[in-house]
């Protein structure tokens, strides 16, 4: 079965088991109904064809579940439509063909028994539009055909059958419950799905930079706390695009956005395997290098300084350069916030010294800058 039909694999497996055990049980009830028939004309001529048709639907659905060829969505629509069609076909045939008025009540009671199956199929998955449409058709058909069955005795000169009228009333009430009960369930499913979608969007807004697709400051803070908690050395590279304001002012903000996207792509492509790239804000990026010492961090920073600007420069038609500040855990700081601030201080020192350089955090020189 297709995983896209359920957000939780355990729930999908549970419904699959229910169908594998439940469909044979319903099929057994169909066979039992045929074996326990009254033997009248209706049972001999009509019921076998009706039950044969629904048996084919049940068997086909069960084989689809067993082989994994049908999705839960498709099977549920098939079962709901098949059950609704069976119910309405039975009422139609009762209205048009039933030769023995005495058999009307038993046949109506048999029809009533089929309604729980319709309700069960509607609860299997989130199928708001298809299932609601099927149930609306079913309700309209049940009401119309019940009216025909109720007045048929008058048309042929017989009195109204009060027992049959009560059975018809029960059928309509049950159909009404299945329609509006399922509709309530599906509306709640719709609201839940919408809420989950909104939560996913909010989570994306919090954790992901929408322009570049890179994780943002919140994710960076979480990763820094994780790495500092592990106690192993790692490095923070604070990357700043030089003269980004000039690009925005001369070429426009659209080109500036395009530049940031290309820089993000190049940082991801050129950063060593196992590293993490983040966008903080504006033209500021961070590259985390797990298990990197001072020497490895500065070597990687120099490599990124030379290679990353090549494609962005060609893209915007202007010479793009970077400034990179480096801080190393635990030499420069032992907590995430201080470590990031020290890398930012190193970048600021690079800017003051003329840009286009890599600089390791230096406590004596950068302390005044931070103050």
């Amino acid at each position: 079965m297709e995983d896209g039909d359920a957000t939780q694999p355990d729930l999908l497996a549970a419904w699959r088991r229910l169908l594998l055990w439940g469909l044979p049980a319903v099929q057994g009830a169909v066979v039992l109904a045929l074996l326990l028939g009254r033997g009248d004309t209706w049972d001999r001529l009509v019921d076998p064809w009706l039950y044969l048709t629904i048996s084919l639907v049940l068997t086909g659905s069960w084989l689809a579940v067993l082989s994994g060829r049908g999705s839960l969505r498709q099977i549920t629509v098939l079962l709901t439509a098949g059950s609704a069609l069976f119910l309405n076909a039975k009422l139609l045939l009762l209205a048009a063909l039933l030769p023995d008025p005495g058999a009307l009540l038993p046949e109506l009671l048999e029809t009533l028994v089929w309604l729980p199956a319709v309700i069960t199929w509607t609860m299997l998955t989130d199928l708001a539009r298809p299932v609601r449409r099927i149930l609306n058709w079913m309700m309209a058909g049940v009401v119309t055909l019940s009216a025909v069955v109720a007045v048929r005795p008058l048309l042929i000169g017989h009195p109204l059958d009060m027992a049959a009228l009560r059975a018809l009333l029960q059928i309509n009430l049950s159909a009404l419950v299945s329609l509006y009960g399922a509709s309530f369930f599906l509306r709640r499913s719709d609201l839940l799905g919408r809420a989950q979608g909104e939560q996913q969007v909010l989570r994306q807004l919090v954790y992901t930079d929408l322009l570049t697709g890179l994780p943002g400051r919140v994710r960076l803070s979480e990763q820094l706390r994780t790495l500092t908690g592990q106690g192993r050395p790692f490095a923070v590279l604070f990357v700043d695009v030089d003269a980004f304001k000039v690009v925005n002012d001369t070429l426009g903000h659209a080109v500036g956005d395009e530049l940031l996207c290309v820089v993000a792509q190049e940082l991801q492509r050129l950063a060593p395997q196992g590293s993490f790239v983040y966008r903080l804000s504006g033209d500021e990026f961070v590259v985390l290098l797990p298990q990197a010492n001072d020497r490895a961090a500065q070597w990687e920073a120099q490599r990124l300084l030379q290679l990353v600007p090549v494609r962005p420069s060609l893209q915007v038609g202007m010479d793009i350069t970077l400034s990179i500040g480096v801080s190393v855990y635990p030499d420069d700081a032992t907590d995430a916030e201080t470590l990031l601030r020290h890398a930012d201080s190193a970048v600021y020192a690079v800017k003051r010294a003329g840009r286009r350089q890599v600089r390791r955090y230096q406590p004596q020189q950068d302390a005044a800058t931070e103050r």
Side-chain angles (χ1 to χ4, degrees), residues 200-220 241 244 256-265 267-268 277-286:
Q200 185 176 2
V201 171
L202 290 175
R203 182 177 178 85
Q204 184 179 15
L205 289 173
V206 170
Y207 284 93
T208 306
D209 174 57
L210 297 183
L211 176 63
T212 63
L214 292 177
R217 186 180 294 272
V218 175
R219 186 63 59 82
L220 170 62
V241 180
F244 179 67
D257 289 346
E258 182 182 1
L259 170 63
L260 293 176
C261 290
V262 178
V263 169
Q265 294 168 6
L267 284 172
Q268 285 183 299
V277 181
Y278 305 86
R279 183 193 178 202
L280 296 190
S281 62
D283 58 348
E284 297 175 340
F285 298 85
V286 168

Side-chain angles (χ1 to χ4, degrees), residues 235-315:
V236 176
L237 308 185
F238 203 110
V239 181
D240 188 279
V241 180
D242 295 330
F244 179 67
K245 186 175 185 303
V246 176
V247 175
N248 273 338
D249 292 343
T250 58
L251 301 179
H253 289 278
V255 175
D257 289 346
E258 182 182 1
L259 170 63
L260 293 176
C261 290
V262 178
V263 169
Q265 294 168 6
E266 291 300 282
L267 284 172
Q268 285 183 299
R269 184 176 69 88
L270 297 170
Q273 186 175 6
S275 60
F276 305 93
V277 181
Y278 305 86
R279 183 193 178 202
L280 296 190
S281 62
D283 58 348
E284 297 175 340
F285 298 85
V286 168
V287 180
L288 288 187
L289 302 176
Q291 302 182 4
N293 56 25
D294 174 37
R295 183 176 179 182
Q298 295 206 53
W299 188 88
E300 289 293 347
Q302 288 288 351
R303 191 174 67 87
L304 296 176
L305 185 76
Q306 299 298 322
L307 298 180
V308 170
V310 175
R311 183 165 164 243
S313 298
L314 294 174
Q315 191 81 15

Side-chain angles (χ1 to χ4, degrees), residues 138-157:
M138 182 193 76
M139 190 66 215
V142 167
V143 171
T144 303
L145 294 172
S146 296
V148 174
V149 172
V151 301
R152 185 173 184 270
L154 296 178
L155 299 177
I156 58 177

